[in-house]
Amino acid sequence: MKRLHGCAALLLALGMACAPARAALVADTGTPANAVGAGWAFNSEHSYAGRFSVLSDLAINRIEGYFSTDAGEVKVSLFGSSADGEGGFVPGSMLQSASFATGAGALAWRGVAGLNWAVSKGSYWIVFNASYGNASQASMPGGFASPLDGYALMQAGQWYDAAGLGLGQGLRVDTTAAAVPEPGSMALFGLGLGLIGIWTRRRA
């Protein structure tokens, strides 16, 4: 009987195991083709935003943009859906943010990881801004392979629709879906429950 109970407990534990969480890029523009100087100046006077959508509950783990850098800091923020209605170009309220220090560097994918920012189904904006001064040579080039849902540019504290400006910032948003039980695990779970039921009846 003890052996039966132990076996049932093991099967129950195995059945409760979930499939490993799977990473997925919910936004991936591809690497922009333009070179430094062919894009938009990336400094403290400009904030660049790209909109993307998610279809289910996810956790954002990594956000990357494609740009050259100067000495300073880049802030990466997650904003809610458009403040000016569906299809608008003004990002909603800021939900999360993270910053990282930079030195002078050539064009590359740069960003923040280990975020674990929970999001539900809907549309969101990723906003990049830098602490670099106006003399900075940093840029965020266009020439993307796969466009985002929308683009916005902030200058002098005001947002502008950048969808027709050739902004085309490179963006990658890497997420992890919530772990879910696999069919095989569910079968083991059911078998474990059945064996425990048999063990309980025999003890009665």
Side-chain angles (χ1 to χ4, degrees), residues 107-122:
L107 286 170
W109 286 101
R110 309 171 191 276
V112 287
L115 299 173
N116 197 30
W117 292 351
V119 295
S120 55
K121 180 180 178 180

Side-chain angles (χ1 to χ4, degrees), residues 13 33 46 72 75 77 79 87 102 104 139 148 172 188 196 200:
H46 303 106
K75 184 178 181 181
S77 304
F79 281 68
T102 61
S139 70
L148 297 172
R172 290 175 179 165
L188 287 174
I196 287 177
T200 302

Side-chain angles (χ1 to χ4, degrees), residues 3 16-17 19 25 35 50 68-69 81 90 92 111 120 131-132 134 136 145 160 162 182 198:
R3 182 176 299 176
M16 292 176 68
L25 286 168
S68 59
T69 56
S81 57
V90 179
S120 55
S131 64
Y132 316 143
N134 289 339
S136 172
Y160 296 91
E182 292 181 327
I198 293 171

Side-chain angles (χ1 to χ4, degrees), residues 69-82:
T69 56
D70 205 341
E73 188 176 82
V74 172
K75 184 178 181 181
V76 182
S77 304
L78 175 70
F79 281 68
S81 57
S82 302

Side-chain angles (χ1 to χ4, degrees), residues 2-201:
K2 289 183 178 179
R3 182 176 299 176
L4 177 63
H5 184 244
C7 180
L10 176 61
L11 289 172
L12 192 61
L14 289 173
M16 292 176 68
C18 291
R22 293 182 175 85
L25 286 168
V26 295
D28 184 8
T29 62
T31 302
N34 290 348
V36 171
W40 292 73
F42 189 36
N43 55 45
S44 59
E45 295 298 313
H46 303 106
S47 292
Y48 299 110
R51 189 178 69 224
F52 67 101
S53 300
V54 299
L55 302 178
S56 62
D57 292 352
L58 299 168
I60 293 176
N61 294 324
R62 179 191 298 269
I63 299 172
E64 295 178 314
Y66 191 75
F67 48 85
S68 59
T69 56
D70 205 341
E73 188 176 82
V74 172
K75 184 178 181 181
V76 182
S77 304
L78 175 70
F79 281 68
S81 57
S82 302
D84 53 342
E86 185 66 27
F89 62 86
V90 179
S93 301
M94 186 172 72
L95 305 175
Q96 302 277 3
S97 67
S99 300
F100 60 98
T102 61
L107 286 170
W109 286 101
R110 309 171 191 276
V112 287
L115 299 173
N116 197 30
W117 292 351
V119 295
S120 55
K121 180 180 178 180
S123 60
Y124 298 88
W125 293 85
I126 297 298
V127 179
F128 294 91
N129 47 39
S131 64
Y132 316 143
N134 289 339
S136 172
Q137 296 299 304
S139 70
M140 183 171 280
F144 52 79
S146 302
L148 297 172
D149 296 342
Y151 294 93
L153 163 67
M154 177 183 277
Q155 286 183 306
Q158 181 174 346
W159 285 106
Y160 296 91
D161 188 356
L165 299 180
L167 175 59
Q169 68 188 44
L171 177 68
R172 290 175 179 165
V173 180
D174 192 15
T175 65
T176 301
V180 295
E182 292 181 327
S185 297
M186 293 303 295
L188 287 174
F189 182 77
L191 182 57
L193 286 176
L195 289 174
I196 287 177
I198 293 171
W199 178 79
T200 302
R201 284 196 302 271

